[in-house]
């Protein structure tokens, strides 16, 4: 298998894992939703904070092993 094929498989598995995690943290308490008529506006404030913390920890860990 070529390295490009392995990269696509790795990216596919990564997207599946992200999708599973996102289904659990997609709508946390503290996220703001406005509904007026047939318009919905969603501000994922708490979800953004959680994702930011997780990414910061991951980048910090990967930076130490570099």
């Amino acid at each position: 298998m070529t390295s490009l094929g392995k990269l696509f498989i790795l990216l596919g598995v990564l997207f599946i894992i992200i999708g599973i995690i996102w289904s659990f943290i997609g709508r946390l308490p503290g996220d703001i939703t406005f509904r007026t008529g047939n318009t919905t506006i969603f501000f994922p404030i708490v979800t953004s904070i959680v994702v930011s913390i997780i990414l910061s920890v991951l980048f910090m860990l990967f930076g130490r092993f570099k």
Side-chain angles (χ1 to χ4, degrees):
M1 189 180 284
T2 66
S3 62
L4 185 60
K6 290 179 184 179
L7 177 66
F8 282 139
I9 291 173
L10 179 67
L11 285 174
V13 170
L14 184 66
F15 282 136
I16 290 171
I17 291 171
I18 289 171
I20 290 170
I21 291 172
W22 194 259
S23 67
F24 288 113
I25 66 167
R27 300 246 175 173
L28 292 174
D31 291 346
I32 299 171
T33 304
F34 294 110
R35 290 191 180 105
T36 56
N38 60 354
T39 304
T40 302
I41 300 173
F42 180 66
F43 296 106
I45 295 171
V46 177
T47 302
S48 298
I49 292 170
V50 170
V51 169
S52 175
I53 291 170
I54 291 171
L55 288 175
S56 295
V57 169
L58 287 175
F59 286 139
M60 185 178 59
L61 288 174
F62 286 130
R64 289 180 190 240
F65 292 120
K66 184 176 177 183

